[in-house]
Amino acid sequence: MASLVGSRVERKEDKRFLTGKGRYTSDINIANQTYAVFIRSPHARAKIKKIDTSKALKASGVVDILTGEHIAKDKIGGLIAGWAIRSEDGSEMKCPPNPPLAKDNANFVGDPVAVVFAETLDEAKTAAELVKVDYKVLKAVSNLADTMNSEAIHEGIDKNLCYDWLLGDRQKVKEAFDKADKIIKLDIINNRLIPNAMEPRACVVDYNTASEEITCYTTSQNPHLSRLIMSAFGGVAPENKLRVVAPDVGGGFGSKINLYNEEIVCSWASKKIERPIKWVAERTESFLTDTHGRDHITHAELAVTNDGKFLGFKNETIANLGAYARVFGTVTPTYLFGPCATGVYVMPAAYSNVKAVYTNTAPVDAYRGAGRPEATYTIERIVDKAATELGMDPIEIRMKNFPTEFPFKQTLVHQVDSGDYAAGLNKAKEMADYDGFAARKKASESKGKLRGIGVTTYFEACGIAPSPVVMMLGCGVGLWESAEVRFNPTGQVTVYTGSHSHGQSHQTTFAQITADELGVPIENIDIVHGDTDKGTFGMGTYGSRSLTVGGIAIVNACKKIITKGKKIAAKMLEASEEDVEFKNGEFVVAKSNKKKTIGEVAFASYLPGVRDEVKSPLPEGEEPGLVESSFFDPANFSFPAGSHICEVEIDPETGDVKLDKYTAVDDFGTIVNPLIVEGQVHGGLAQGIGQALHENAQYDESGQLITASYMDYTMPRADNFPEFNIGFTCTKATTNPLGVKGCGEAGTIAATPTVMNAVINALGGEEISLPATAEKVWKACKSAKKTDAKAA
Amino acid sequence: MKTFNYHSAKDVKEASKLASSSSAFLAGGMTTIPSMKLGLATYKNIIDIKGIKKLSGIKVSGKAVTIGATTKHAEVANSKEIKKAIPSLAALAEGIGDPQVRNRGTIGGSIANNDPAADYPSACIALNAVIHTNSRKIDAEKFFKGMFETVLKSGEIIEAIEFQVPQKSNYQKFPNPASRYAIVGVYVAKHKNGINVAVTGAKSCVYNDKDLAKTLSSNFSAASINNVRVSSSGMNSDIHASAEYRANMVKVFAKKAVEAC
Ligand SMILES: Cc1cc2nc3c(=O)[nH]c(=O)nc-3n(C[C@H](O)[C@H](O)[C@H](O)COP(=O)(O)OP(=O)(O)OC[C@H]3O[C@@H](n4cnc5c(N)ncnc54)[C@H](O)[C@@H]3O)c2cc1C
C-alpha cells in the first residue's frame, strides 16, 4: 500500500458539508424545548439598579426569567482567565469577576444581564422587551490609549491595569542601543478584529431529571475544556453529570475556545426549569459578544548598524483585554506575542513590555494567530522601515540577519528546532518574480497607478505545548492531547481524538496518518471527536496544534496497537516476536511466507479461541481486544516559518488598493495532505489580508460598537483576492515522529505585514495605519505628492 | 420580528386599498424584511404585490425603456433589449448587492425606499425618468424628496418607471467596501435636450449636479471636470468616507463616467 501521507486525498467531509448534511448545534431540536433570549446591556458601562421582570413573567408563553441574582443565589461561578501572568514587579495579574449574568455592573454593550425562557422564540423575544432594567449609565472607557488615565472600571483594579509584563533584559537592550549606528522607531496600531465564524454561537441543553445528567450541545473548539470550566469553576454539575457535545462547528478562529455566559446559563437553567433549552445567537449578538481579536498600540525600536545588522529590539505595547479576562485573553498579548516579536532574526538583545488593560468593550481573546500576527506585524514593519532608512533592499536586510544554524536559540524564549529561512525566501523571491517588479512598476505608472512590493519573513510558535513549559508560564492546564484507537472485531478502525475539527478536515488528515500506521484502507477508518462521552479527555483545537499534538497521539496509539498485534501475530504464527515484522498491514515472519493481516489479528484478539480445543491466539497474560490510547506531550512548540511576497497597485485618485499578486512559501515540515494545507493557507491569507485592507472593529466614545453588522464591518470577499501562488519548503520538525509543523495560522500571521509593506512601498515609505482603506491611502497619496513636490 | 398579517394582493386596486400608515408593500422584501427582523420597522399588514402581473416586465421602444415596478435587478441586468438601448442601466443593475439581492430586489422597491446610497435613483435622475403610479405620472426630479423620502402618498403604488434613452451614458460607482452600496455613484447621461450628472451616495438624497452638467454641456470631456470645484458641504461623513473624500470622489467618478461614455 502506498503511503497516504503527502497525497492530495479528497476530503472525507466534503460530501457531508457540500450537500448540506452537516449537523450543527442549531440543527438539533429536543422535544419540549424552550427558547432562550438574553437581555443585554445596551450601555458600555452601567450600574444595574433594578431589574423588573413582573410584566414579562406574565407574558404569553414565558416559562421563566432569570437574572444575576439567581446566579448568585445558586452560587454559579463565572468565566475565567486560563493563564496567570505576573507583572514585571512580581505581582500577580488582576482579574475582575465575570459572572454569567451581570448582577451589579454591566461592562460592555452586549453583557448579558437576564434571560427569558419561553415556549417559542417569538414569545421569548416579546417578553424580553418587557423586562425593565434600570441602569445608571456611567462614563465608558473605550479609548485604549487613555485607558490607564481613566476611571477604574473594576473595583480594586487600579488604572484598569491587569498586568505590566516584561520579557527580556532592559539593561542588555540599553547597552545594545548605545552601540547602534541608527535607531529605527515605529508606532503602530494593531486594529481590532471580529472573528466572524460563519456559524453563530449556539447551545442546546437537555437535562434528564432521572439521571440528573445535563447534556450541552454547543459551538465549541474544545468541549472537554468547556465541561471542565463549567464544572470546576461554574459549579453547574460534577463532570460525570455533564456531557458537552460540539457537533459540526462552522468555524471558530479562536472565538469558540471560550466557554461563554450563554452555555453556563442554559446548562444551569435547564436543570432549574427542568426543560430543554435552545439558544442561537443572532448575527448582531455575534458581533457584540464573540471574543474579538488583536487591538494593540505598540511602540517599537530596532537598533541597527549602518550595514543593516540588528543589535537590539524593544517593544512597548498596550493590549486591550476588553471588559474581562478570558481563557487565552491574558496569554495572547504576552507569551504568544512577546517571544515572536524578534522574528526570524538573530537579535542579540531584546525585550517586550506589555501593559494589558480593561476597557468597556467586548472581551478580546485568541483570534487566528493569537499574538503572533501582532508580533510579526511589529517586527516585519520595523525591519522594512530599517531597510528604507538604510537604503537597503528588504530581502537583503532580512537575509543578513537570519540564523544559519539550527537549533536556533531565539532571543526571548524559544529554541527553534529546525528551519531554513534563506531557502524559503529565495524560493518566494523566484516564484514572485521579484526581479521583474521594476518593469511591472513602470507599467503601472504608465497607467497613472502606483505599484508596491512587500516582503515578510516569519516564524511562529504553535502547537502550544509541552505541558510543563506552558504551566511554568502560567497556563492553568496541561496542553497535551489524547487519542484512542479501536479496532472493531471485523477490522475497521475508529479513532477517538481530543482535537476538534471546525473546518480543519481532521476526518481526512487523521485517517491518512492512521491508514499509514496501521495499513488499513482509509475508507475503513473513522474519526470521532467532539463529545465528552466518547473517548478520553482532550484539550481541543487552537494554536495550530491538532496535527502536531493530537495527530501524534494517534500515531503513538497506533504504534501501541502494532506492538500488541505483533505479540498476537507471533503466537498465531508460532514464531518469536522478534522475527515478526509489520509492513503494509501485515505481520510477516522474517525469511518465510508466513503472515497474518492486521485484520486477522484484530479478529483473533476479540475472538480468542477455537472449537474443540482450548487454545488462545493471545500470549500468556495478554488481554483480549485491540484498543490502545495515548496521551502525547511534545518536547517543544512547533515552529513553522515562511516568506511571503505580494504586490499591490494603487489608484492615487481614489486610494483604492488592488492586491495584484500574492506568493506564500511556507515550511510546515512534513505535509500530510497538500490539498488541505493549501486550503488552510488560503483561509489564513484571507483573514490576514482582511486585517490589512478591510476589517476594522470600531467603538465610539460611549462604547457602542459602530461596526456591528456587515453593512459596516468589511468582511473581505472572494473578489478582493488574486489567485494565491503557494509553495512549500520542508525542514522536518525534530520534536515529533511525523516531522510535522502547524499550518493553521501561518497565512494570517504573515499576510498582514506583507500587504502593508507593499502598500507603504507603493506610497514611497509614507506610514499608514491598519487597515489601508481607500480614504487613508488617498490622503497618504496626496501628502506623498506634496512631499515629492517639495523635494523637487 | 413581530407578528403581522400577510396579504397577497391580486391587483393594484386591492393592494392600494389595503394600504395604511402601518403597512408596507412587499416587493423583493430585501429592505422590508431585514428592517423588520432587526426591529427597525414594525408593520401590522404586509401587502405582497409580487403576484400582480401588470407590475412586472420590460418594454423598450426607440425613445424609452419602461420597466415594471416589480421587475427584479437581475432581469434588468440580463435584459438583451436594455443592454442594447441603455447599456449603462443594465450595468447598474448588475452592480447592485449580490446575486441573492439581485434575484429578489426590485426597481420599484428600490426607488420607493430611496436609500441615499442606492443605485437606481441616480438612473432615474440621469435618464429623465417618469415614475408611473396608480394615480399619476411623476418626474424623477420631483420624486425624490429626501433621505428615505419620496413624494409617494399612502396607498400610492409605483407601476412602472419610464427612462428616456440617452445618446450616451455611463454609471460609475465607488462601492462601500462593507455593504457595497454606493459611497459615491455618478450617472452621466447626454441627451439631445441636455446633460444630467446624477450623484448618489454623497448626500442625504440623490441629486443632479448642475455645475458638472453645465461644464460638460460646453465641453463633454473628463478634462473639463478637472476645473470644477465640488464642495464637500452637505456631504455625508461616516466611518467609510469623510465629506471631503466624497466630494473628491464625485469628481473622480464623474470623470470616469465621462471617459466610459
Ligand atoms: C445585502 C444587500 C445589499 C444591497 N445592496 C444594494 C446596492 O448595492 N445598491 C442598491 O441600490 N441597493 C442595494 N440593496 C437594496 C436592494 O436593491 C433592495 O432590493 C431595494 O432597496 C428594495 O427593493 P425591494 O424590492 O426588495 O423592496 P421591499 O423591501 O419589498 O420594499 C421596500 C419599500 O418599498 C415599498 N415598495 C415596494 N414596491 C413598491 C411599489 N411598487 N410602489 C410603492 N412602494 C413600494 C415598500 O412599501 C417598502 O416600504 C441591497 C440590499 C441588501 C439586502
Side-chain angles (χ1 to χ4, degrees):
Chain A
M1 212 171 77
S3 167
L4 286 182
V5 167
S7 65
R8 306 174 77 88
V9 176
E10 278 190 20
R11 302 199 316 158
K12 284 181 148 221
E13 294 89 339
D14 279 345
K15 191 168 177 193
R16 194 165 94 252
F17 290 142
L18 299 180
T19 61
K21 300 292 179 209
R23 190 174 146 88
Y24 298 88
T25 298
S26 69
D27 292 325
I28 294 167
N29 289 297
I30 294 168
N32 206 27
Q33 73 196 9
T34 62
Y35 293 82
V37 166
F38 284 81
I39 291 140
R40 302 181 183 278
S41 171
H43 310 293
R45 183 165 171 235
K47 272 208 163 358
I48 302 164
K49 285 179 14 200
K50 199 179 145 203
I51 302 180
D52 179 1
T53 58
S54 55
K55 211 164 152 202
L57 274 167
K58 286 185 219 136
S60 151
V62 171
V63 175
D64 206 350
I65 298 174
L66 301 173
T67 66
E69 299 277 352
H70 298 98
I71 290 270
K73 213 157 134 217
D74 284 8
K75 299 197 166 59
I76 296 301
L79 303 165
I80 53 150
W83 293 66
I85 304 296
R86 256 188 225 110
S87 286
E88 185 178 359
D89 67 8
S91 63
E92 289 296 340
M93 68 175 187
K94 297 193 178 71
C95 291
N98 184 186
L101 293 173
K103 185 162 89 48
D104 304 314
N105 298 290
N107 287 308
F108 67 100
V109 174
D111 210 354
V113 299
V115 58
V116 175
F117 305 104
E119 299 295 343
T120 69
L121 185 57
D122 272 348
E123 286 170 323
K125 281 189 184 181
T126 307
E129 283 174 20
L130 299 173
V131 174
K132 274 210 210 97
V133 188
D134 193 359
Y135 293 103
K136 181 176 180 234
V137 180
L138 304 171
K139 191 171 173 344
V141 177
S142 64
N143 184 333
L144 180 57
D146 292 345
T147 305
M148 281 182 287
N149 305 319
S150 306
E151 204 183 332
I153 299 169
H154 301 291
E155 213 183 290
I157 303 185
D158 228 26
K159 293 182 174 172
N160 295 306
L161 186 65
C162 177
Y163 53 71
D164 181 348
W165 173 85
L166 179 81
L167 181 68
D169 190 328
R170 287 185 194 271
Q171 185 52 35
K172 261 179 143 173
V173 169
K174 193 182 168 300
E175 288 161 15
F177 273 64
D178 287 344
K179 281 188 294 193
D181 291 331
K182 207 171 169 92
I183 312 273
I184 314 297
K185 294 182 182 177
L186 182 70
D187 286 289
I188 49 178
I189 289 175
N190 209 288
N191 51 327
R192 180 185 275 243
L193 304 173
I194 298 175
N196 277 299
M198 200 181 289
E199 179 205 21
R201 291 190 295 111
C203 65
V204 176
V205 185
D206 189 15
Y207 174 65
N208 184 317
T209 52
S211 66
E212 298 183 353
E213 265 173 356
I214 298 170
T215 303
C216 174
Y217 300 90
T218 183
T219 49
S220 174
Q221 298 179 212
N222 30 252
H224 280 96
L225 274 184
S226 286
R227 182 179 71 167
L228 178 67
I229 297 172
M230 193 148 37
S231 187
F233 296 91
V236 171
E239 273 185 278
N240 64 326
K241 293 292 179 194
L242 194 52
R243 177 181 169 206
V244 177
V245 186
D248 284 333
V249 174
F253 313 112
S255 72
K256 292 172 182 167
I257 293 173
N258 273 276
L259 172 76
Y260 281 87
N261 311 58
E262 295 86 358
E263 291 153 299
I264 298 194
V265 168
C266 292
S267 298
W268 155 74
S270 177
K271 188 169 174 180
K272 211 171 169 71
I273 66 174
E274 297 195 349
R275 291 277 298 273
I277 295 170
K278 180 167 189 164
W279 172 77
V280 182
E282 295 193 343
R283 187 52 74 178
T284 311
E285 290 181 292
S286 304
F287 272 104
L288 291 174
T289 67
D290 288 5
T291 54
H292 293 179
R294 321 276 187 258
D295 211 352
H296 288 188
I297 297 175
T298 294
H299 172 77
E301 293 186 16
L302 179 67
V304 294
T305 63
N306 280 332
D307 61 350
K309 269 271 176 207
F310 302 157
L311 301 177
F313 172 78
K314 59 177 160 186
N315 156 25
E316 308 269 0
T317 290
I318 304 173
N320 199 342
L321 293 174
Y324 305 104
R326 293 275 172 89
V327 171
F328 277 86
T330 52
V331 74
T332 296
T334 51
Y335 290 106
L336 298 183
F337 167 68
C340 291
T342 55
V344 279
Y345 310 110
V346 175
M347 192 72 75
Y351 75 78
S352 278
N353 173 218
V354 180
K355 297 177 175 70
V357 296
Y358 296 105
T359 57
N360 292 116
T361 61
V364 179
D365 205 296
Y367 167 58
R368 201 172 190 169
R372 290 145 293 159
E374 298 90 314
T376 307
Y377 188 72
T378 308
I379 186 73
E380 288 307 297
R381 285 283 307 104
I382 202 166
V383 163
D384 243 44
K385 199 170 178 215
T388 307
E389 290 191 17
L390 294 170
M392 282 174 83
D393 177 88
I395 288 189
E396 185 197 348
I397 198 170
R398 286 174 167 86
M399 287 285 190
K400 200 161 206 162
N401 290 283
F402 283 161
T404 47
E405 271 173 36
F406 286 87
F408 160 47
K409 176 79 183 72
Q410 182 261 8
T411 324
L412 289 172
V413 172
H414 296 298
Q415 172 91 6
V416 180
D417 61 335
S418 68
D420 184 344
Y421 303 147
L425 186 49
N426 280 324
K427 184 166 181 176
K429 189 179 166 190
E430 196 170 301
M431 282 173 63
D433 183 25
Y434 190 80
D435 296 334
F437 171 71
R440 290 188 294 277
K441 188 176 165 81
K442 241 196 190 134
S444 294
E445 282 168 355
S446 71
K447 295 182 293 173
K449 302 276 171 68
L450 308 172
R451 180 174 282 267
I453 193 160
V455 179
T456 279
T457 48
Y458 78 95
F459 93 109
E460 66 127 333
C462 63
I464 323 264
S467 301
V469 173
V470 296
M471 294 187 76
M472 177 266 288
L473 298 177
C475 185
V477 289
L479 290 178
W480 39 263
E481 193 50 275
S482 75
E484 186 178 303
V485 177
R486 288 187 200 168
F487 257 99
N488 295 326
T490 53
Q492 312 86 22
V493 176
T494 309
V495 177
Y496 295 83
T497 169
S499 298
H500 184 277
S501 182
H502 31 277
Q504 295 88 344
S505 322
H506 296 167
Q507 262 186 299
T508 310
T509 305
F510 287 178
Q512 280 176 261
I513 58 177
T514 307
D516 272 14
E517 293 296 327
L518 300 178
V520 172
I522 191 166
E523 304 77 51
N524 292 351
I525 299 166
D526 284 307
I527 309 296
V528 177
H529 67 85
D531 186 340
T532 57
D533 267 10
K534 292 180 186 163
T536 43
F537 195 102
M539 300 312 297
T541 287
Y542 35 81
S544 304
R545 68 195 309 274
S546 298
L547 181 60
T548 58
V549 191
I552 305 307
I554 296 171
V555 169
N556 289 350
C558 288
K559 290 199 192 304
K560 289 187 191 170
I561 293 256
I562 300 304
T563 304
K564 180 170 176 180
K566 233 179 220 177
K567 287 185 197 156
I568 299 171
K571 173 98 188 284
M572 290 169 81
L573 295 165
E574 294 173 336
S576 88
E577 204 187 313
E578 297 81 66
D579 291 341
V580 177
E581 217 193 307
F582 180 72
K583 236 168 81 189
N584 295 330
E586 291 175 334
F587 294 97
V588 186
V589 180
K591 296 183 205 114
S592 82
N593 55 6
K594 290 202 290 182
K595 59 186 177 188
K596 288 278 175 202
T597 67
I598 194 163
E600 289 171 312
V601 169
F603 188 79
S605 78
Y606 282 100
L607 291 87
V610 285
R611 181 110 199 250
D612 296 332
E613 208 182 338
V614 180
K615 186 177 170 194
S616 171
L618 300 175
E620 187 87 24
E622 201 62 62
E623 292 173 357
L626 201 52
V627 176
E628 294 290 353
S629 66
S630 168
F631 282 66
F632 179 65
D633 211 342
N636 202 345
F637 281 62
S638 155
F639 301 103
S643 299
H644 291 201
I645 298 179
C646 83
E647 279 177 43
V648 298
E649 193 177 62
I650 294 174
D651 180 347
E653 283 208 306
T654 61
D656 194 39
V657 178
K658 184 175 148 237
L659 184 57
D660 189 45
K661 276 160 71 79
Y662 199 104
T663 303
V665 173
D666 297 294
D667 177 357
F668 299 136
T670 306
I671 289 180
V672 175
N673 187 330
L675 192 68
I676 289 169
V677 171
E678 285 164 14
Q680 287 292 313
V681 173
H682 280 206
L685 291 179
Q687 285 171 304
I689 295 165
Q691 174 170 25
L693 297 178
H694 310 289
E695 301 183 48
N696 198 22
Q698 298 179 66
Y699 283 90
D700 70 10
E701 232 170 73
S702 68
Q704 293 293 332
L705 181 65
I706 48 178
T707 52
S709 85
Y710 293 125
M711 298 302 276
D712 294 309
Y713 187 86
T714 309
M715 280 302 278
R717 305 187 198 190
D719 64 2
N720 292 125
F721 305 112
E723 179 85 27
F724 296 133
N725 191 12
I726 288 175
F728 301 107
T729 57
C730 176
T731 58
K732 290 190 178 189
T734 62
T735 49
N736 66 67
L738 291 179
V740 293
K741 302 178 183 179
C743 75
E745 297 163 293
T748 326
I749 291 167
T752 313
T754 309
V755 174
M756 286 303 276
N757 282 343
V759 170
I760 291 165
N761 176 258
L763 295 172
E766 181 86 14
E767 277 298 322
I768 182 169
S769 66
L770 285 169
T773 54
E775 178 164 3
K776 268 196 232 167
V777 173
W778 172 75
K779 282 193 173 136
C781 287
K782 284 208 308 186
S783 81
K785 229 189 208 160
K786 265 186 216 144
T787 350
D788 276 2
K790 255 191 222 150
Chain B
M1 193 161 15
K2 293 275 163 51
T3 53
F4 54 85
N5 301 311
Y6 170 84
H7 311 269
S8 180
K10 61 177 187 306
D11 54 29
V12 171
K13 213 165 154 194
E14 187 193 358
S16 175
K17 223 162 100 191
L18 285 164
S20 68
S21 59
S22 60
S23 75
F25 297 121
L26 186 72
M30 291 291 94
T31 295
T32 302
I33 292 176
S35 18
M36 289 166 78
K37 282 172 82 171
L38 286 168
L40 300 172
T42 46
Y43 301 106
K44 281 207 185 98
N45 294 294
I46 289 293
I47 307 154
D48 192 339
I49 56 170
K50 286 196 301 293
I52 306 173
K53 281 226 171 67
K54 176 185 161 188
L55 293 183
S56 166
I58 296 165
K59 265 187 253 134
V60 178
S61 71
K63 282 194 195 135
V65 168
T66 307
I67 304 176
T70 59
T71 309
K72 294 173 182 130
H73 308 332
E75 292 169 319
V76 175
N78 297 327
S79 160
K80 284 206 183 89
E81 292 170 291
I82 297 180
K83 277 188 196 167
K84 223 172 122 198
I86 318 179
S88 59
L89 186 59
L92 174 148
E94 179 67 41
I96 296 177
D98 49 48
Q100 287 89 336
V101 169
R102 291 195 290 275
N103 282 307
R104 281 240 157 225
T106 69
I107 186 166
S110 176
I111 67 166
N113 192 51
N114 193 20
D115 189 306
D119 297 300
Y120 267 131
S122 69
C124 295
I125 298 287
L127 301 172
N128 294 327
V130 178
I131 321 292
H132 297 245
T133 76
N134 55 338
S135 58
R136 54 180 166 152
K137 289 181 187 175
I138 311 163
D139 285 342
E141 288 271 358
K142 295 200 185 107
F143 180 82
F144 302 103
K145 253 176 75 182
M147 193 161 155
F148 294 105
E149 233 192 313
T150 67
V151 297
L152 287 175
K153 300 200 178 98
S154 169
E156 190 169 7
I157 294 175
I158 302 170
E159 296 191 337
I161 298 98
E162 184 187 338
F163 296 99
Q164 182 186 335
V165 176
Q167 292 172 325
K168 44 185 172 178
S169 65
N170 190 265
Y171 177 63
Q172 292 287 327
K173 161 179 176 178
F174 189 53
N176 178 311
S179 73
R180 305 254 169 134
Y181 275 83
I183 279 192
V184 161
V186 182
Y187 208 133
V188 174
K190 187 166 188 290
H191 299 273
K192 246 200 332 242
N193 52 346
I195 286 173
N196 292 323
V197 181
V199 179
T200 187
K203 294 188 176 173
S204 60
C205 184
V206 65
Y207 66 96
N208 201 353
D209 193 315
K210 300 271 155 73
D211 293 341
L212 285 170
K214 208 170 122 199
T215 305
L216 289 174
S217 300
S218 52
N219 178 5
F220 194 81
S221 74
S224 73
I225 291 175
N226 279 334
N227 308 319
V228 181
R229 207 187 81 87
V230 176
S231 158
S232 63
S233 116
M235 294 231 172
N236 300 331
S237 184
D238 54 42
I239 55 169
H240 297 290
S242 66
E244 182 205 1
Y245 181 63
R246 275 193 167 85
N248 269 279
M249 289 311 109
V250 167
K251 213 163 139 171
V252 171
F253 281 78
K255 283 200 311 199
K256 285 183 195 281
V258 170
E259 270 162 11
C261 257

